[in-house]
């Protein structure tokens, strides 16, 4: 019986790898579980299969069932949940599982890379992007053969979390140097060069890629745009359109954003398709049929390409007074092509009478509240509200973002990274990066190697009057009311330990440290503030893990049990 179970399980794994959606995978896994319900590995096979088949809810249930057992499959279940929640765009849950994984294993560079990706997707952009860099550094140190893969992942994750060109460009360049065959990263790098006004680099990269695929429209557009910009730069002084004019429109930045959003599936066309799937009937009933190419031919140069053309081919406007159907804070409705063209003609006929619509600026009116206000896309693709005689009011980063907000509001899935999180300043602010850890830990370190009559030792006992002093390994520790234990040899302090559950000052032992946090976040905190990783080990008898850092000439040790810090101690170097 046992041999049959093992053969079924092995076959299930092999078939899962080759054909993950094959129904035989589930049959084999269920047969194993019928014989041995405790086999977490069989549950994992079944969960992977259900996820591959698109049944995220059932896969989640199975992964959580494995995670609840806390056995040797726990970390794989945690990784699977991290992947599942990320794919479902549940960013906060993906981040929670990323930190859970690192609470179990903080050695692998890819787990740190996944943490950075999850942080950035959840709105912790800067922290996440820095973590991606740190993961690459860790890979170079611990697994140099995997460095090309790590560099490609960093570029992919920077792109996927909408990092600006100035962050993406150097990462993509480094990735391409180690893997010149990654055409998608290279194409995006070319458009990022345009957004950074590096036209020569964009042209040369585009030409190289076109030699590999001469039919690629995106690459042809890249090269044409780069050459156009080079000509403008050469003749800037004599032309009506200068480089400064181009910079003011944000046209090149928008080209980068549009190709990036297309790659990520968060562009305007994707948003409108997603809206179609969740749109309430009340809104659908107000929308006119989409305009055809023939309908828009008259206004070929008038209907803008930032947003208006996509919107009009989707639906050619809404009747006046129907804006409330969007369920937004204000009753703006889509304008029709006829309305946009008529309004443009009126503005051009008498510029002086329309000072809110400047001739030398980029704008496309797309919606109106029928009371004189408009939603308008302007330079860099931003969406603003424009009212007569008033400054423009920001509404969204783009028309696509405004539509995605409506999709989310109607209960649809929103694939965008979370917006930047702004955190309230802590009562005890974190030290600046690179400065030593602060708090009671500094007093503990100062007492190490000092005699009992020293001021540093006196300060330590003042802070912890209930601490016990152990002067011989043959004498067991007595209970300490402070949870602090001092070891002294030949009259000199050699070690200070703190039982976190008992010590009343544990929460300020290291200022700003989250004692209940995951190992990944704690490790990142102490490393950012002067501690250097040295060693780690696991006590197989009780499962406790100890992580050791060099700090201030001594050793700082954090002992973990059941996912939380159990003890903190310092010893001489």
């Amino acid at each position: 019986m046992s041999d049959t179970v093992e053969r079924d399980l092995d076959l299930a794994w092999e078939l899962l790898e080759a054909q993950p959606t094959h129904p035989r995978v589930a049959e084999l896994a269920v047969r194993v579980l019928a014989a041995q319900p405790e086999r977490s590995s069989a549950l994992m096979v079944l969960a992977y299969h259900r996820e591959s088949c698109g049944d995220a809810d059932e896969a989640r249930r199975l992964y959580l069932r494995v995670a609840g057992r806390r056995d040797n499959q726990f970390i794989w279940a945690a990784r699977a949940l991290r992947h599942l929640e990320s794919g479902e765009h549940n960013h906060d849950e993906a981040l929670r599982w990323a930190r859970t994984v690192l609470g179990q294993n903080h050695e692998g560079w890819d787990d740190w890379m996944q943490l950075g990706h999850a942080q950035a997707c959840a709105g912790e952009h800067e922290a996440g992007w820095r973590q991606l860099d740190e993961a690459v550094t860790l890979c170079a140190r611990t697994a140099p053969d995997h460095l090309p893969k790590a560099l490609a992942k960093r570029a992919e994750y920077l792109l996927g979390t909408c990092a600006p060109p100035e962050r993406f460009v150097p990462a993509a360049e480094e990735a391409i140097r180690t893997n010149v065959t990654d055409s998608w990263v290279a194409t995006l790098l070319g458009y990022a060069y345009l957004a950074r006004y590096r036209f020569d680099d964009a042209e040369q990269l585009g030409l190289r890629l076109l030699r590999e695929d001469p039919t690629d429209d995106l690459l042809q557009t890249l090269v044409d745009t780069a050459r156009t910009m080079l000509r403008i730069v050469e003749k800037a002084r004599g032309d009506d359109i200068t480089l400064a004019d181009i910079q003011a429109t944000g046209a090149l930045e928008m080209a980068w954003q549009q190709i990036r959003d297309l790659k990520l599936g968060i562009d305007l066309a994707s948003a409108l398709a997603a809206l179609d799937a969740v749109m309430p009937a009340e809104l659908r009933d107000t929308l006119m049929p989409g305009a055809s190419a023939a309908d828009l031919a008259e206004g070929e140069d008038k209907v803008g390409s930032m947003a208006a053309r996509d919107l009009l081919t989707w639906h050619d406007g809404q009747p006046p007074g129907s804006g409330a159907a969007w369920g937004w804070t204000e009753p703006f409705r889509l304008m029709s092509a006829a309305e946009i063209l008529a309004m443009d003609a009126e503005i051009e006929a008498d510029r002086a009478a329309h000072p809110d619509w400047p001739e030398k600026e980029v704008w496309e009116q797309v919606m109106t509240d029928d009371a004189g206000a408009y939603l308008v896309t302007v330079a860099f693709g931003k969406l603003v509200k424009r009212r007569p005689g008033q400054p423009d009011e920001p509404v969204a980063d783009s028309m696509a973002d405004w539509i995605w907000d409506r999709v989310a509001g109607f209960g649809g899935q929103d694939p965008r990274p979370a917006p930047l999180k702004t955190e309230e300043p802590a009562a005890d602010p974190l030290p600046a990066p690179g400065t030593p850890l602060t708090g009671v830990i500094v007093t503990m370190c100062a007492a190490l190697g000092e005699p009992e009559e020293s001021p540093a030792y006196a300060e330590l006992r003042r802070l912890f009057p209930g601490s016990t002093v152990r002067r011989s390994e043959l004498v067991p520790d007595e209970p300490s009311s402070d949870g602090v234990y001092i070891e002294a040899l030949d009259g000199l302090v050699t070690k200070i330990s703190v039982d976190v559950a008992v010590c009343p000052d544990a929460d300020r032992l290291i200022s700003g440290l989250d004692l209940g946090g995951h190992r990944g976040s704690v490790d990142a905190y102490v490393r950012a503030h002067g501690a250097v990783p040295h060693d780690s080990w696991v006590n197989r008898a009780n499962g406790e893990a100890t992580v050791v850092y060099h700090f201030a000439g001594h050793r700082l040790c954090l002992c973990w049990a059941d996912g939380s810090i159990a003890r903190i101690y310092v010893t001489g170097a």
Side-chain angles (χ1 to χ4, degrees):
M1 178 67 175
S2 177
D3 289 345
T4 301
V5 168
E6 294 302 326
R7 282 196 300 271
D8 283 348
L9 185 56
D10 289 343
L11 181 57
W13 279 110
E14 291 173 9
L15 188 55
L16 177 74
E17 185 174 353
Q19 300 181 54
T21 61
H22 197 291
R24 182 73 171 149
V25 175
E27 293 175 14
L28 291 164
V30 168
R31 197 155 70 195
V32 171
L33 290 168
Q36 296 181 359
E38 73 281 1
R39 290 296 288 265
S40 292
S41 57
L43 273 178
M44 289 298 295
V45 171
L46 188 57
Y48 287 137
H49 169 70
R50 294 315 311 161
E51 183 178 359
S52 299
C53 291
D55 190 351
D57 290 340
E58 177 62 8
R60 182 183 294 106
R61 185 188 71 81
L62 294 168
Y63 289 140
L64 288 171
R65 184 174 167 188
V66 175
R69 294 177 173 181
R70 304 292 298 193
D71 58 16
N72 61 359
Q73 292 291 321
F74 173 80
I75 193 167
W76 295 105
R79 285 178 174 136
L81 284 161
R82 177 188 66 195
H83 176 269
L84 176 70
E85 301 300 359
S86 178
E88 292 289 294
H89 311 295
N90 299 324
H91 303 308
D92 288 338
E93 274 298 289
L95 178 56
R96 184 173 74 85
W97 284 110
R99 286 173 169 154
T100 298
V101 169
L102 286 164
Q104 300 295 311
N105 179 358
H106 64 285
E107 303 297 330
W109 66 267
D110 188 61
D111 287 330
W112 288 102
M113 184 75 75
Q114 300 300 332
L115 173 65
H117 179 237
Q119 284 178 299
C121 284
E124 300 174 12
H125 297 152
E126 287 296 333
W129 295 334
R130 286 195 301 270
Q131 184 56 64
L132 296 179
D133 292 338
E134 291 181 14
V136 168
T137 301
L138 178 62
C139 179
R141 187 173 70 247
T142 62
D145 290 346
H146 294 171
L147 188 57
K149 181 179 179 181
L151 292 169
K153 273 198 170 184
R154 178 179 63 177
E156 176 188 344
Y157 287 163
L158 284 170
L159 183 69
T161 55
C162 298
E166 56 267 25
R167 276 194 181 272
F168 175 75
V169 165
E173 287 176 330
E174 197 171 359
I176 293 301
R177 282 196 293 269
T178 61
N179 182 11
V180 296
T181 64
D182 196 332
S183 60
W184 251 116
V185 171
T187 300
L188 269 295
L189 175 59
Y191 278 88
Y193 279 152
L194 290 181
R196 300 295 291 161
Y197 295 84
R198 293 171 56 177
F199 308 127
D200 283 316
D201 291 333
E203 181 189 28
Q204 293 306 312
L205 179 58
L207 289 172
R208 178 175 71 78
L209 294 171
L210 274 174
R211 284 194 290 271
E212 300 170 10
D213 185 2
T215 64
D216 191 309
D217 291 340
L218 287 175
L219 294 176
Q220 291 172 357
T221 301
L222 171 64
V223 172
D224 289 344
T225 304
R227 288 175 170 173
T228 298
M229 294 310 303
L230 286 169
R231 288 194 297 270
I232 290 174
V233 170
E234 290 174 4
K235 302 188 298 179
R237 291 185 179 180
D239 284 355
D240 292 334
I241 301 176
T242 67
L243 181 60
D245 293 329
I246 297 291
Q247 289 174 318
T249 67
L252 297 176
E253 288 83 354
M254 279 191 288
W256 149 254
Q257 291 164 8
Q258 287 171 352
I259 189 64
R260 178 202 68 192
D261 291 353
L262 179 65
K263 162 69 173 171
L264 299 179
I266 60 174
D267 56 309
L268 179 54
S270 298
L272 293 172
L275 181 59
D276 279 332
V278 296
M279 185 189 305
E282 179 187 1
L283 174 59
R284 191 181 306 277
D285 290 344
T286 68
L287 294 168
M288 301 296 186
S292 66
D295 295 332
L296 298 178
E298 178 188 350
E300 188 71 32
D301 297 327
K302 300 295 184 181
V303 177
S305 60
M306 286 193 292
R309 184 167 293 276
D310 281 342
L311 290 170
L312 292 171
T313 54
W314 178 63
H315 286 290
D316 191 11
Q318 292 172 277
S322 61
W326 287 96
W328 194 48
T329 53
E330 298 181 64
F332 283 89
R333 64 167 178 87
L334 288 178
M335 297 177 69
S336 68
E339 288 175 312
I340 292 173
L341 294 174
M343 180 175 172
D344 287 345
E346 181 182 328
I347 291 171
E348 287 183 12
D350 190 354
R351 289 282 178 184
H354 299 85
D356 299 310
W357 307 89
E359 183 176 6
K360 291 190 175 182
E361 291 184 11
V362 176
W363 46 263
E364 293 177 12
Q365 71 279 41
V366 291
M367 301 183 79
T368 179
D369 67 353
D370 295 309
Y374 297 86
L375 293 189
V376 187
T377 54
V378 294
F380 299 91
K382 303 292 185 183
L383 185 69
V384 301
K385 181 169 68 174
R386 181 168 293 179
R387 294 177 297 169
Q390 301 292 324
D392 287 346
E393 300 176 30
V395 171
D397 283 342
S398 67
M399 190 70 218
D401 279 312
W402 191 87
I403 295 293
W404 279 119
D405 287 343
R406 307 287 75 72
V407 171
F410 293 139
Q413 193 176 73
D414 183 355
R416 297 171 299 170
L420 178 66
K421 288 184 178 177
T422 55
E423 299 180 358
E424 295 294 327
D428 184 12
L430 301 182
T435 61
L437 296 168
T438 60
V440 177
I441 196 77
V442 174
T443 303
M444 294 165 61
C445 287
L448 287 172
E450 295 294 318
E452 294 183 45
E453 61 270 17
S454 69
Y457 181 81
E459 175 65 12
L460 181 66
R461 293 308 301 271
R462 185 188 70 79
L463 288 174
F464 304 108
S467 59
T468 64
V469 181
R470 184 183 185 188
R471 294 183 174 84
S472 170
E473 292 185 358
L474 301 177
V475 178
D477 282 332
E478 297 180 3
S480 164
S481 61
D482 281 323
V484 177
Y485 300 87
I486 303 169
E487 294 184 15
L489 180 65
D490 297 330
L492 300 180
V493 177
T494 58
K495 180 179 179 180
I496 305 165
S497 304
V498 177
D499 184 338
V500 169
V502 177
C503 179
D505 291 300
D507 61 344
R508 63 182 179 89
L509 198 66
I510 301 175
S511 297
L513 180 65
D514 179 6
L515 295 174
H518 296 285
R519 275 173 61 182
S521 59
V522 169
D523 178 77
Y525 180 92
V526 297
R527 286 197 301 164
H529 297 88
V532 179
H534 174 66
D535 198 5
S536 65
W537 62 84
V538 176
N539 184 331
R540 297 191 182 277
N542 57 21
E544 290 186 350
T546 300
V547 186
V548 183
Y549 303 85
H550 286 303
F551 171 64
H554 304 294
R555 290 189 179 182
L556 167 65
C557 308
L558 306 180
C559 184
W560 293 81
D562 297 324
S564 299
I565 298 177
R567 286 183 303 285
I568 298 175
Y569 61 94
V570 293
T571 66

